Amino acid sequence: NGPPLWQRMRREIETQLEALRSAGALQGDTPQEAYFVHCDEETNPVERRDAGELVAEIGLAPTVPAEFVLVRLVRRPGSREFENLE
């Protein structure tokens, strides 16, 4: 759990979000207006890494209901969780 994994997570999630944007499911003329993905040292401090967790925060602007949605994806040993950050 370090920079190479965080970069891979961002890339994989951004690829999926860009496909959604290209299909018209997200608002925004640019990727920066349509979504963001944070998966770095800030979302994965030493305490989380020591616990075996991996955290990515995702923001996206779906065309419906036309509000920005924030989600935290948490991978813990043996489970996956999704948290709505609204």
Side-chain angles (χ1 to χ4, degrees):
N1 188 350
L5 178 59
W6 304 335
Q7 181 180 17
R8 180 175 169 209
M9 286 292 295
R10 286 191 307 268
R11 184 178 59 242
E12 295 292 331
I13 295 168
E14 288 171 351
T15 297
Q16 297 300 315
L17 293 173
E18 183 56 27
L20 289 173
R21 188 183 76 82
S22 295
L26 299 179
Q27 300 179 51
D29 294 329
T30 66
Q32 294 79 12
E33 293 174 345
Y35 59 84
F36 68 81
V37 179
H38 294 159
C39 186
D40 53 24
E41 192 170 291
E42 186 176 324
T43 60
N44 293 284
V46 173
E47 302 82 35
R48 284 200 180 262
R49 287 181 279 174
D50 288 347
E53 298 178 349
L54 175 64
V55 178
E57 293 181 352
I58 305 161
L60 56 141
T63 54
V64 176
E67 297 177 1
F68 211 78
V69 176
L70 301 174
V71 177
R72 178 178 290 140
L73 170 64
V74 180
R75 172 68 168 102
R76 292 189 172 99
S79 72
R80 289 182 195 92
E81 297 178 22
F82 296 91
E83 300 172 4
N84 189 334
L85 296 178
E86 290 185 311

